[in-house]
């Protein structure tokens, strides 16, 4: 990670940690759950070596970025507000956006609310999910995937945190980061148990070193999981707040990439949405959908070089 600079910036009333390297057009990377700026380590090095300024924040409540105590401080408006302020702080009008998992969800909100700030968007794992005016998201998840879906299991403050504490942060992170179990993401009833991944390996995959895992563990042992889970706990609130955008399209140029084993891509309903043409109707400037053979959810880490090439190939057109 040599040459990656770190600093803290003031955005939207909080202190945000960012990692950055390179000079040129800004590429802004948004991580998912349970991740950090570090998830983009390979992309930061690759993009900065190709004439771009790569910037990866710890999102609100993660890592070395401030974590407001109130659960209500983690709506899409709060987090997109952080990002617009960050873009201003970087001194640019527009960024190339690259995002994964929960970062991808926030990325779609940023493109929806402030398309003027995003030149093009490379989205990993989670497609644009337009607002259904008839069904709240948590109710929809419950109906589709049952009470054991991770979103439903995360709703009660303190409950999942206690179960994660009982098995320990190293197990939780190893369990989630190594999962190759197709979707939807399910937690078993009762205690944390096997979490996402009933087949947690003894040894780490080649793309995740002990040093990598240790960095994630150190940061989450310091911060806990409450703030990251508060993103999930605001899904219904986001639905209420975004009523004015019902039926809105996202018109930012976009490329979508997912692993064929991704627990989101393989969740019932989502694969049909992505492959069946509706995704393209909701995002009319979606240039391409790329499904990576043999790759699971954390594709930015597992298939880093391939992802780097897909990002560069897309953004160089603009």
């Amino acid at each position: 990670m040599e040459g990656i600079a770190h600093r803290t910036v003031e955005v939207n009333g909080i202190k945000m940690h960012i990692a950055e390297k390179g000079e040129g057009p800004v590429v802004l990377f948004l991580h998912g759950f349970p991740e950090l700026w570090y998830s983009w380590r390979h992309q930061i090095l690759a993009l900065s070596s190709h004439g771009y300024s790569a910037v990866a924040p710890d999102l609100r409540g993660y890592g070395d970025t401030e974590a407001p105590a109130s659960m209500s401080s983690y709506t899409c408006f709060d987090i997109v507000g952080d990002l617009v302020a960050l873009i201003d702080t970087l001194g640019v009008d527009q960024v190339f956006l690259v995002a994964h998992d929960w970062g991808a969800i926030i990325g779609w909100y940023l493109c929806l609310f402030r398309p003027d700030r995003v030149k093009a968007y490379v989205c990993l794992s989670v497609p644009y999910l337009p607002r259904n005016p008839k069904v709240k998201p948590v109710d929809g998840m419950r109906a589709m995937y049952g009470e054991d879906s991770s979103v439903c299991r995360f709703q009660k403050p303190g409950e999942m945190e206690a179960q994660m504490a009982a098995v320990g942060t190293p197990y939780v992170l190893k369990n989630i980061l190594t999962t190759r179990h197709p979707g939807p993401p399910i937690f078993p009833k009762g205690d944390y148990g096997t979490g996402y991944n009933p087949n947690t390996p003894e040894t780490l995959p080649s793309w995740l070193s002990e040093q990598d895992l240790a960095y994630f563990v150190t940061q989450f042992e310091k911060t806990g999981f409450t703030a990251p889970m508060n993103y999930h706990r605001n899904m219904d609130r986001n639905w209420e707040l975004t009523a004015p955008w019902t039926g809105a399209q996202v018109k930012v140029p976009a490329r979508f990439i997912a692993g064929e084993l991704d627990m989101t891509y393989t969740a019932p309903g989502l694969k049909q949405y992505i492959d069946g043409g509706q995704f393209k109707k909701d995002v009319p400037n979606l240039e391409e959908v790329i499904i990576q053979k043999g790759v699971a959810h954390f594709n930015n880490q597992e298939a880093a070089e391939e992802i780097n090439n897909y990002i560069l190939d897309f953004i160089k057109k603009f």
Side-chain angles (χ1 to χ4, degrees):
M1 299 299 100
E2 271 184 45
I4 296 178
H6 297 266
R7 62 184 169 121
T8 300
V9 295
E10 297 264 355
V11 297
N12 195 24
I14 66 167
K15 292 180 173 65
M16 172 177 271
H17 164 250
I18 62 172
E20 56 190 342
K21 183 175 170 65
E23 293 182 5
V26 174
V27 184
L28 179 61
F29 294 94
L30 309 181
H31 66 78
F33 172 88
E35 297 181 88
L36 301 160
W37 75 269
Y38 189 82
S39 304
W40 299 108
R41 58 198 177 278
H42 306 296
Q43 287 73 36
I44 292 170
L45 297 176
L47 272 288
S48 63
S49 72
H50 281 85
Y52 293 93
S53 173
V55 179
D58 284 333
L59 293 176
R60 172 179 289 237
Y62 282 88
D64 292 318
T65 290
E66 203 169 330
S70 168
M71 189 172 81
S72 62
S73 297
Y74 295 85
T75 71
C76 55
F77 285 176
D78 295 298
I79 302 155
V80 170
D82 297 344
L83 298 176
V84 171
L86 174 59
I87 294 168
D88 288 341
T89 300
L90 295 171
V92 294
D93 292 327
Q94 288 189 310
V95 297
F96 291 112
L97 185 65
V98 182
H100 173 257
D101 186 79
W102 253 101
I105 297 172
I106 298 303
W108 289 116
Y109 281 130
L110 176 60
C111 292
L112 186 64
F113 301 154
R114 294 300 305 271
D116 57 309
R117 307 310 298 266
V118 182
K119 207 173 295 183
Y121 182 21
V122 178
C123 177
L124 311 185
S125 179
V126 183
Y128 176 54
L129 299 172
R131 183 182 184 275
N132 181 344
K134 297 176 181 176
V135 183
K136 289 186 176 184
V138 177
D139 289 341
M141 293 278 187
R142 189 177 289 114
M144 284 283 285
Y145 310 134
E147 289 285 353
D148 288 354
S149 75
S150 58
V151 167
C152 296
R153 295 274 272 119
F154 288 176
Q155 289 304 307
K156 190 174 178 183
E159 184 176 80
M160 185 55 73
E161 292 94 320
Q163 293 179 19
M164 287 178 165
V167 297
T169 303
Y171 177 81
V172 170
L173 290 169
K174 183 178 180 181
N175 171 271
I176 297 175
L177 291 171
T178 61
T179 187
R180 306 185 74 72
H181 197 64
I186 296 291
F187 273 91
K189 281 188 174 66
D191 294 339
Y192 185 88
T194 56
Y196 279 117
N197 186 2
N199 302 304
T200 304
E202 288 296 317
T203 55
L204 294 174
S206 60
W207 55 267
L208 186 70
S209 71
E210 292 288 351
Q211 185 181 0
D212 296 332
L213 183 62
Y215 183 81
F216 285 109
V217 169
T218 299
Q219 291 293 82
F220 279 98
E221 282 185 336
K222 181 177 71 177
T223 63
F225 292 95
T226 295
M229 285 188 190
N230 284 341
Y231 285 59
H232 301 79
R233 292 166 184 156
N234 275 284
M235 288 179 74
D236 282 352
R237 180 63 180 140
N238 290 341
W239 180 84
E240 294 168 1
L241 292 170
T242 55
W245 286 271
T246 301
Q249 294 176 316
V250 171
K251 295 185 178 176
V252 170
R255 169 176 278 183
F256 179 78
I257 312 166
E260 68 172 351
L261 304 175
D262 188 302
M263 55 187 163
T264 303
Y265 173 66
T266 54
L270 281 184
K271 192 172 182 180
Q272 295 90 324
Y273 170 73
I274 293 165
D275 296 343
Q278 188 58 48
F279 185 20
K280 172 71 173 171
K281 289 178 183 174
D282 294 328
V283 185
N285 293 318
L286 177 67
E287 185 206 68
E288 191 177 11
V289 170
I290 297 165
I291 306 303
Q292 298 171 292
K293 296 284 185 192
V295 176
H297 181 64
F298 296 95
N299 54 344
N300 52 337
Q301 298 183 71
E302 180 184 345
E305 190 173 347
E306 192 178 348
I307 291 293
N308 298 344
N309 291 334
Y310 282 137
I311 295 168
L312 283 162
D313 172 65
F314 187 59
I315 67 176
K316 72 182 182 187
K317 299 174 183 179
F318 298 92

